Amino acid sequence: MIEWTNAIIQGVLLGGLYALFAAGLSLIFGVMRLVNIAHGDLIILAAYMGLSTTILLGVHPFVALIVVIPAMALLGYVLQRGILNHTLGPDILPPLLVTFGLSVILQNALLEIYTADPRKLPGGAIETASVDLGGITLGVLPLLTFGIAVAVIAGLQFMFYRTSLGRGFRAVSDNQDIAQLMGLNKAHVFGLAMALALAVVAIAGILLGMRTSFDPAIGGGRLIFGFEAVIIGGLGNLWGTLAGGVILGVAQTIGAKIDPGYQILAGHIAFLIVLAVRPNGLFPRVEH
Amino acid sequence: MSGPVVTRSTRASRFAMVIAGLAIIVLATAPWWAGRAEIRLMGEIYLYLSLACLWNLMAGYAGLVSVGQQAYVGFGGYMLFALTIFGGLNPIVAIVLGALLAAALSVPIAALIFRLKGAYFAIGTWVIAEVFRLSFAQVQSLGGGSGISLPVAIVKEIGARKAAREANSYWLALGAAVLVIGAVYLFLRSRRGLALTAIRDSETAASGLGIDIWRTKLEVYVVTSAFTAIIGGLIFLQKLRISPDAAFSVNDWTAFVIFIVVIGGIGTLEGPIIGTLLFFALREVLADFGTIYLLVLGLVAIVVMLKAPKGVWGLIRDRFDLELFPLSYRVRKDKE
């Protein structure tokens, strides 16, 4: 019994990481209806940026965030203004295909620079540190990851509903043309949204890299986990996304408990069940 | 009698049909005049051409942008292996039966993923492909995660000797490409094709004219799935070995196919043909550069999408008002 409780708690903590994968995806879709197929590869790019920073500067991966977050945010802004803004419109094909092309480019560029060898970020003592809670041992890193995920989502929620930047995001999300008439430059607002999304991606990438080994080919899988968390939680609801991540994480750890080969499959099946039973997700945003 | 008449065919299109017919005859004789390496390459080209036509039918006409067609490529491949090894079927029969099974499976899958809209539909199809990959990796009798080879006895059923086998798989690939292009062409010329074209141009207007959009899209999805499974079977009949990672590779069976269609010209029948030729030309030129080739391919696709979203064929068609597959109607003054 305690083993199953343990599996569920580990799954909840894993869900924090998936919610971080998903938060950027959710933000971008909410603001500009863009689904970024390269999202997972950007997470892996952030992990590699963290790797290079830790090696070059000899710092801990958490310190590397000081470099990786601004770098990814800048990349996001430039990417959005330089390429992605030109793909937005009534037709869904251009953004989809351009980000798909971007995904292939990123994967192969990383392969060219870092080779296909699996790498890991050196987390030091925190990787093995744990706390004991009545027979259940919790890793400090997964706990910290979950805490960061909650903080990031709370921060995004606050930003979205309490700041002028968030008001801009909501305005272009509701009606781009009227927002433009009200003096917002939508190209700039979209750039800021992508910058913010990739700042979250930077955090997700570093935490992923400390938790498991990574290689250039695993981006697609991370995109899928993020996407599943978004759909399970319900489109447009950030706290729902966290819940979606948790459900996905728990499904995976329970699947792995039954048979290690079923871990990822169990997550996909949980997603398909939610899609069959509640097509709008478990906590869809109420339409005003 | 004089006055305006409405026709579909033009002089260019009739000329193109004659050329295409001659080309098919010449290509069919390739095993007698081409080398083994060329035969293999041409077989691969036909199979990619078929995949591109099928993806184009879905994305370019039905608006179903899938990044998960590798699900059906891999399924068709695995059915070839499973039905020949355990069912004792002839490989061709196994491939056809695999296509029917793929069609049957695609109906409940469509019922699920059609709930997702636009780009989310695309990722949903990818999830399905991953479910397929992980499920087949669990089947130990098919080699689990490491894969399985086609037993020699079954390989011999395609042709007793290597040369005969290679010629036979070449003809199968050529036949499949002709079948797929012909089927897509006739489908688009039919009443249902007209409905599909109307949906492509405006879903709202099409629905207002009484077209059942959901049903039309479902038909396209099911038929495309079945044909994609046939191509998958033929791909792995050439390779003689299958593994989950090769069978359900998103790069090999979807990324390349999407690039082919986008570069050639999406939403036209000529586009995938031009795209396939350009893709293989680029691949042969850049073959020695490894991953650089994929970087270039991705860049070319992005530039085409941004600068010429109708692709190479779109540029040609706009410039010369050319249509090799006569699909649209033209009004012309009768000369007689």
Side-chain angles (χ1 to χ4, degrees):
Chain A
M1 187 59 218
I2 193 107
E3 280 179 33
W4 290 97
T5 318
N6 185 38
I8 289 169
I9 293 176
Q10 304 297 346
V12 171
L13 298 183
L14 179 62
L17 186 64
Y18 293 163
L20 281 173
F21 292 169
L25 212 54
S26 186
L27 175 74
I28 292 303
F29 184 79
V31 174
M32 58 187 111
R33 301 287 177 275
L34 173 83
V35 176
N36 182 2
I37 302 269
H39 191 77
D41 304 288
L42 287 163
I43 294 172
I44 306 305
L45 172 69
Y48 275 110
M49 273 189 188
L51 183 71
S52 290
T53 314
T54 50
I55 292 172
L56 289 175
L57 304 181
V59 293
H60 190 273
F62 279 134
V63 183
L65 279 173
I66 300 171
V67 178
V68 179
I69 291 179
M72 288 299 288
L74 182 67
L75 174 70
Y77 189 84
V78 172
L79 198 64
Q80 187 66 40
R81 301 278 323 240
I83 298 176
L84 298 177
N85 272 345
H86 302 287
T87 67
L88 297 176
D91 190 359
I92 63 146
L93 210 53
L96 199 70
L97 297 184
V98 167
T99 54
F100 200 69
L102 212 57
S103 154
V104 171
I105 291 175
L106 274 174
Q107 261 182 52
N108 287 287
L110 289 174
L111 198 62
E112 193 71 14
I113 300 168
Y114 294 98
T115 76
D117 297 338
R119 304 299 295 265
K120 199 168 169 305
L121 292 179
I126 197 172
E127 279 182 27
T128 48
S130 62
V131 287
D132 199 57
L133 284 178
I136 293 171
T137 315
L138 296 177
V140 170
L141 186 60
L143 271 176
L144 196 62
T145 304
F146 190 80
I148 291 173
V150 172
V152 164
I153 285 174
L156 285 176
Q157 194 80 9
F158 176 81
M159 185 277 312
F160 227 69
Y161 292 103
R162 294 275 184 276
T163 66
S164 61
L165 178 66
R167 198 161 57 234
F169 286 165
R170 282 182 289 139
V172 289
S173 169
D174 285 347
N175 190 315
Q176 296 184 9
D177 296 329
I178 292 177
Q180 190 96 355
L181 285 175
M182 295 294 135
L184 282 171
N185 176 1
K186 72 176 182 189
H188 178 65
V189 174
F190 287 164
L192 290 177
M194 187 56 91
L196 192 61
L198 291 205
V200 177
V201 159
I203 300 172
I206 299 283
L207 289 169
L208 167 80
M210 284 167 66
R211 186 187 176 100
T212 54
S213 58
F214 53 92
D215 65 72
I218 67 164
R222 305 319 104 175
L223 164 73
I224 289 179
F225 294 159
F227 156 78
E228 288 176 334
V230 170
I231 301 288
I232 293 174
L235 275 178
N237 180 347
L238 278 169
W239 288 115
T241 299
L242 179 64
V246 166
I247 289 168
L248 183 64
V250 170
Q252 286 192 359
T253 46
I254 288 180
K257 191 94 195 75
I258 297 165
D259 181 319
Y262 291 147
Q263 181 182 351
I264 312 292
L265 198 53
H268 293 329
I269 288 168
F271 158 75
L272 292 175
I273 291 172
V274 171
L275 193 58
V277 183
R278 296 284 299 267
N280 291 323
L282 298 178
F283 314 101
R285 188 176 61 170
V286 183
E287 291 296 332
H288 314 286
Chain B
M1 197 186 133
S2 72
V5 287
V6 179
T7 64
R8 286 188 130 168
S9 63
T10 60
R11 190 178 297 152
S13 76
R14 283 190 294 269
F15 186 66
M17 285 301 139
V18 174
I19 295 285
L22 290 175
I24 291 169
I25 293 170
V26 172
L27 290 174
T29 60
W32 287 287
W33 48 262
R36 278 182 50 203
E38 284 87 52
I39 292 286
R40 269 195 85 82
L41 178 66
M42 282 156 76
E44 204 189 344
I45 290 177
Y46 303 148
L47 295 175
Y48 264 105
L49 176 59
S50 313
L51 288 179
C53 279
L54 291 167
W55 189 83
N56 180 45
L57 179 67
M58 273 180 65
Y61 286 93
L64 295 167
V65 185
S66 162
V67 295
Q69 283 310 92
Q70 68 273 22
Y72 297 104
V73 172
F75 181 81
Y78 264 106
M79 282 307 109
L80 164 69
F81 282 63
L83 295 174
T84 51
I85 296 173
F86 306 122
L89 294 180
N90 174 279
I92 311 293
V93 178
I95 288 173
V96 173
L97 193 57
L100 295 176
L101 291 173
L105 201 58
S106 70
V107 175
I109 289 175
L112 259 188
I113 57 174
F114 275 24
R115 295 164 175 225
L116 297 163
K117 294 284 160 252
Y120 277 109
F121 169 81
I123 309 182
T125 60
W126 197 351
V127 172
I128 296 292
E130 283 297 289
V131 169
F132 274 46
R133 181 175 68 82
L134 294 163
S135 303
F136 277 105
Q138 291 296 317
V139 183
Q140 293 309 324
S141 53
L142 285 169
S146 50
I148 189 170
S149 293
L150 206 56
V152 179
I154 293 164
V155 174
K156 287 225 156 80
E157 284 184 50
I158 313 293
R161 299 160 108 214
K162 196 162 186 180
R165 198 183 70 230
E166 281 175 347
N168 283 338
S169 21
Y170 172 86
W171 283 318
L172 283 172
L174 178 62
V178 172
L179 177 74
V180 165
I181 295 176
V184 171
Y185 170 63
L186 291 177
F187 178 75
L188 288 176
R189 271 181 77 106
S190 74
R191 189 183 154 82
R192 288 194 169 151
L194 202 60
L196 196 59
T197 316
I199 292 175
R200 176 193 68 177
D201 293 339
S202 165
E203 280 202 16
T204 319
S207 155
L209 290 169
I211 295 168
D212 187 340
I213 292 182
W214 199 88
R215 197 193 162 86
T216 309
K217 287 188 172 188
L218 177 72
E219 283 171 2
V220 170
Y221 185 77
V222 172
V223 171
T224 310
S225 305
F227 275 111
T228 305
I230 291 184
I231 306 302
L234 292 176
I235 287 171
F236 288 95
L237 190 63
Q238 281 200 340
K239 292 189 186 292
L240 302 178
R241 187 176 166 74
I242 198 165
S243 70
D245 289 345
F248 301 101
S249 161
V250 64
N251 275 341
D252 289 350
W253 314 128
T254 293
F256 292 166
V257 169
I258 292 182
F259 291 159
I260 285 173
V261 176
V262 169
I263 292 170
I266 192 165
T268 64
L269 264 178
E270 296 87 347
I273 301 175
I274 301 221
T276 307
L277 295 176
L278 287 173
F279 171 80
F280 277 92
L282 196 66
R283 197 180 82 171
E284 294 301 303
V285 171
L286 296 174
D288 299 333
F289 295 96
T291 54
I292 299 285
Y293 146 69
L294 290 169
L295 279 175
V296 173
L297 198 63
L299 271 176
V300 170
I302 289 182
V303 170
V304 168
M305 199 72 234
L306 289 177
K307 299 293 170 200
K310 289 185 201 160
V312 173
W313 182 253
L315 291 177
I316 297 174
R317 188 172 59 174
D318 289 352
R319 180 83 178 72
F320 300 105
D321 186 29
L322 203 58
E323 198 179 41
L324 300 184
F325 288 96
L327 287 176
S328 47
Y329 290 93
R330 287 156 192 269
V331 182
R332 202 173 50 202
K333 233 186 191 164
D334 199 344
K335 289 190 198 92
E336 285 169 86

